[in-house]
Amino acid sequence: RAKAAGRRTWRFFEHSMEAELQERLAMEADLREALPLNQLEVWYQPIFGLAANRLSGFEALLRWRHPTRGMVSPGIFIEIMEEIGLIEVVGRWVLEQATREANTWPAPLKVAVNLSPLQFRAPDVAATVLQVVQASGLAPQRLELEITESALLQADGGVAEILAAFRNTGIRTSLDDFGTRYSSLSYLRSFPFDKIKIDQSFVREMATRHDCLAIVNSVAHLANQLGMATTAEGVETAAQLHAVREAGCTEAQGYYFGQPETAKELRRWFEEPSRAAPFLKIA
Ligand code: C2E
Ligand code: MG
Ligand code: MG
Ligand code: MG
């Protein structure tokens, strides 16, 4: 009897694994079609400058509009795209879209684009990015590349050289999701990033937890001492905005200022700024 139950359990397990595998394969097949079928979109989330008290730019965030799955979050599919070798082509497409779109925005608004570790590791990354930016017509100074710590771990050497190559062309670089992985102070010493993006997990609880407040305060101070700017991610409330301002962060980003929006919606804002939230006014 026990054996039978055991077998049933195993069978059930087997079935769910099988279902999971099928789902994964279906997802991969759909992902390969996503770009050719025009299902990918780049959305833009405002980033607010705390010193000037005005909009400083937008972060480009990939979206997948699937006919039956709905809007799929990059948290779900970016990793799969990396695993099946799609991220290079899609990442380049995001960069092309974002730089072209940003070139239609009022200067000096910037665009921040996420770079996958796999893109960052490509031997000709600096030349490729520069080529795309030049083709878009956007001034390189208006582009920021967001790179996570995992990219630094995975790149076998040459990180400082790549960052220096970007810097020489005027393109800025940000260390994204700082504090979530194997954050090492030696990164900050060795790698010339222009900006640190403090992860939203710290920002979310800074108004209620002393340890998070201490971490954000310290990272902002440290960055400042090192001549780097800081963006606080995930600012959702006025209390959090107050706290990151007090901490001395340079910029803030989060639902308090705005959700990611389509390029089309942004164009409407620029044509008619009264449609945008008051703090997003550009003129
Ligand atoms: P990220 O670069 O750290 O982007 C910020 C994420 O936080 C975005 O999620 C954004 O929608 C979300 N967010 C912003 N403000 C708030 C807030 O106030 N509260 C909360 N709870 N969340 C907020 P999203 O768009 O789902 O992207 C997730 C991650 O996927 C990004 O994290 C980035 O690592 C990756 N990603 C997005 N687009 C691209 C891309 O084009 N290329 C690559 N390689 N990765 C991308
Ligand atoms: Mg980012
Ligand atoms: Mg981030
Ligand atoms: Mg993040």
Side-chain angles (χ1 to χ4, degrees), residues 5-49:
R7 187 169 298 152
R8 240 189 329 271
T9 313
W10 168 245
R11 270 261 217 33
F12 174 74
F13 184 56
E14 211 173 31
H15 276 257
S16 73
M17 294 244 310
E18 170 73 15
E20 227 169 78
L21 180 66
Q22 288 305 326
E23 163 57 17
R24 162 76 193 219
L25 292 175
M27 178 90 121
E28 287 183 7
D30 285 0
L31 272 176
R32 290 183 203 280
E33 295 287 291
L35 188 58
L37 291 179
N38 293 316
Q39 292 169 352
L40 297 182
E41 296 174 17
V42 183
W43 289 35
Y44 299 91
Q45 184 180 34
I47 302 174
F48 187 77

Side-chain angles (χ1 to χ4, degrees), residues 9 30 39 50 91 128 145 169 175 232 239-240:
T9 313
D30 285 0
Q39 292 169 352
L50 293 173
T128 307
L145 300 173
T169 63
L175 184 53
Q240 287 164 348

